[in-house]
Amino acid sequence: MAHGITFPLDGSVRELRDALTGSLLESLEELDVRTARAEAEQLLESVLGKSREQLLFCLNESVNSESYSILADYSARRISGEPLAYILGEKEFFSRSFFVTPSVLIPRPETELLVERALVSLTSRKPERYLVLDIGCGSGAIVVSLVKELQQKLGASFLEQGKFVAVDISTAALAVAETNAKRFEVSEEICFLQSDLLKSVSIHWTEFDFVLCLSNPPYIADGAVLDSGVENFEPKLALRSGADGLDAIRALISQFAEAFKGSHSGSSQEKVESKLILEIGYDQELEVVSLVRASGLGEYSFYKDLQGVSRVVEIKCQKSFA
C-alpha cells in the first residue's frame, strides 16, 4: 500500500500494470486511459530494466520484492503529481532521450521548432566561422540536439568551423547539460558558461561571419495559473518572468541589441550576420513585435507550432566593420 495504491502481492507484471493504470487514472485528472496505461508501462520498464517489446513478453512473470518496492515508491511519487520525466530521469526530445532532474525544465515538443529553425539557418548559409549560443540551456537539449543534427547532416568538418556555447545562470542546470553532452558524445564540441542571460558573455564579432543566439527563456507571467505538476516541481527560475512574463525576453532582446550595436573595429571591411531565435508564449507575439521594433534590430519573422500558435521569433541583424 502506497498513498492509496494497492498492488496485488506476488502479482504478475500484467496485474501490476493494470493496477497502476487504474490508480493513475483515478488520481491524475490530466490522464486518460491511454496515457495512464502508457505511463504505467514506462514505470514498469524503468523498474524492471526492460524495453517496451521485452515488457510485452514478460507480462505473466512475477515481480521480485525489490522491484515491487521501487515501483510502489515511483507510483506514489507520480500520484502526488511529480512529473514522470523526473521520476524516470529521462525525457525524449528530438528523438533522443535526455537526462533530466528537477534542476531543469522538462523539454517540451514545441521547443523542437527552435532546433528546426536553427538547423535551417545554419544549413542554408553554411558559414565558415560561426558562433552558436544557447542562452538558458537548462538540460542542454537544444544545443546537444543541434550539434548532433549538424554532425549527421554536414559532418564533423562543419562542426570544427563553429563554436557552441551553452549558457545558464544555474550551476546545477549546467551540470545536467554537461551530462547530456557526454551522453551523446559532443562534450568536446560545447563550452559551458555560467551567466545571467548574456551579461557575462563576450562576443568578439570579427572572429565570426555568423552569430546565432538561441533561447527558450522563461516567459510565464508570475500570476499565471499552471498545472500543479509544473507549479510544484519544475524550477520557477525557468518558468516565471515577471508580471507580464516578458522580463527575460525583454532583457535578451536589449542585451543582444546592445552587443550587436556596440563599438567594434576590424582590420578590413567585414560583414557579420547574426540572428536571435526565441521561443515565446502563445499570446506574446504583439508584445514581442513592439520590443523588437524598439530595440532597433533588423527584420523579424514568427513561426507557428503544430497547434498553429506563434511559438518562435527570429530576429535578423547585420553589421559592417570598418
Side-chain angles (χ1 to χ4, degrees), residues 301-315:
S301 303
F302 290 89
Y303 296 88
K304 299 182 184 297
D305 61 20
L306 295 177
Q307 282 69 49
V309 173
S310 289
R311 183 61 65 183
V312 165
V313 60
E314 292 187 6
I315 308 164

Side-chain angles (χ1 to χ4, degrees), residues 189-263:
E189 284 76 19
I190 304 172
C191 301
F192 298 88
L193 174 68
Q194 184 181 16
S195 176
D196 182 2
L197 302 179
L198 286 169
K199 285 184 179 179
S200 301
V201 178
S202 178
I203 302 175
H204 302 285
W205 293 95
T206 53
E207 293 181 10
F208 310 101
D209 54 30
F210 184 59
V211 176
L212 181 61
C213 258
L214 310 171
S215 184
N216 175 21
Y219 53 69
I220 298 172
D222 289 346
V225 177
L226 297 173
D227 175 84
S228 60
V230 176
E231 181 69 64
N232 297 331
F233 293 94
E234 298 201 56
K236 289 179 174 56
L237 189 65
L239 291 167
R240 305 280 188 184
S241 193
D244 59 1
L246 289 165
D247 282 4
I249 291 174
R250 190 179 290 114
L252 264 174
I253 291 174
S254 174
Q255 290 172 12
F256 189 75
E258 182 179 354
F260 182 75
K261 295 189 296 184
S263 176

Side-chain angles (χ1 to χ4, degrees), residues 127-174:
E128 294 183 0
R129 299 169 296 125
Y130 63 93
L131 169 67
V132 176
L133 299 167
D134 181 4
I135 310 299
C137 65
S139 67
I142 292 171
V143 67
V144 170
S145 297
L146 180 61
V147 171
K148 292 299 294 183
E149 292 298 311
L150 289 171
Q151 193 175 59
Q152 292 175 7
K153 295 177 186 297
L154 299 179
S157 60
F158 181 75
L159 290 182
E160 292 172 0
Q161 296 168 201
K163 181 177 182 179
F164 297 84
V165 183
V167 179
D168 207 289
I169 193 173
S170 165
T171 55
L174 286 171

Side-chain angles (χ1 to χ4, degrees), residues 25-228:
L25 192 60
E26 181 180 350
S27 304
L28 299 172
E29 294 181 357
E30 68 268 24
L31 300 184
D32 56 23
V33 174
R34 182 178 179 181
T35 52
R37 179 162 173 164
E39 287 202 3
E41 290 179 346
Q42 284 181 270
L43 289 169
L44 278 163
E45 289 161 20
S46 177
V47 170
L48 300 177
K50 296 184 181 297
S51 67
R52 178 62 55 85
E53 292 75 18
Q54 290 172 331
L55 189 70
L56 294 175
F57 283 103
C58 71
L59 290 176
N60 294 323
E61 295 179 7
S62 59
V63 177
N64 63 43
S65 58
E66 182 180 1
S67 296
Y68 185 97
S69 177
I70 296 172
L71 182 63
D73 174 63
Y74 282 9
S75 303
R77 290 168 62 187
R78 186 66 187 104
I79 294 294
S80 74
E82 183 175 352
L84 184 67
Y86 290 151
I87 298 170
L88 300 178
E90 305 278 342
K91 182 63 178 179
E92 184 172 306
F93 182 83
F94 232 84
S95 300
R96 297 179 180 88
S97 183
F98 284 84
F99 170 62
V100 294
T101 75
S103 297
V104 300
L105 194 72
I106 297 170
R108 267 66 167 181
E110 54 267 29
T111 304
E112 293 187 2
L113 179 59
L114 198 67
V115 179
E116 291 168 1
R117 294 308 311 168
L119 282 169
V120 170
S121 293
L122 289 167
T123 57
S124 61
R125 282 174 177 77
K126 295 186 178 65
E128 294 183 0
R129 299 169 296 125
Y130 63 93
L131 169 67
V132 176
L133 299 167
D134 181 4
I135 310 299
C137 65
S139 67
I142 292 171
V143 67
V144 170
S145 297
L146 180 61
V147 171
K148 292 299 294 183
E149 292 298 311
L150 289 171
Q151 193 175 59
Q152 292 175 7
K153 295 177 186 297
L154 299 179
S157 60
F158 181 75
L159 290 182
E160 292 172 0
Q161 296 168 201
K163 181 177 182 179
F164 297 84
V165 183
V167 179
D168 207 289
I169 193 173
S170 165
T171 55
L174 286 171
V176 174
E178 288 192 61
T179 297
N180 280 314
K182 291 175 182 176
R183 169 178 286 200
F184 294 104
E185 300 180 335
V186 293
S187 58
E188 293 185 4
E189 284 76 19
I190 304 172
C191 301
F192 298 88
L193 174 68
Q194 184 181 16
S195 176
D196 182 2
L197 302 179
L198 286 169
K199 285 184 179 179
S200 301
V201 178
S202 178
I203 302 175
H204 302 285
W205 293 95
T206 53
E207 293 181 10
F208 310 101
D209 54 30
F210 184 59
V211 176
L212 181 61
C213 258
L214 310 171
S215 184
N216 175 21
Y219 53 69
I220 298 172
D222 289 346
V225 177
L226 297 173
D227 175 84
S228 60

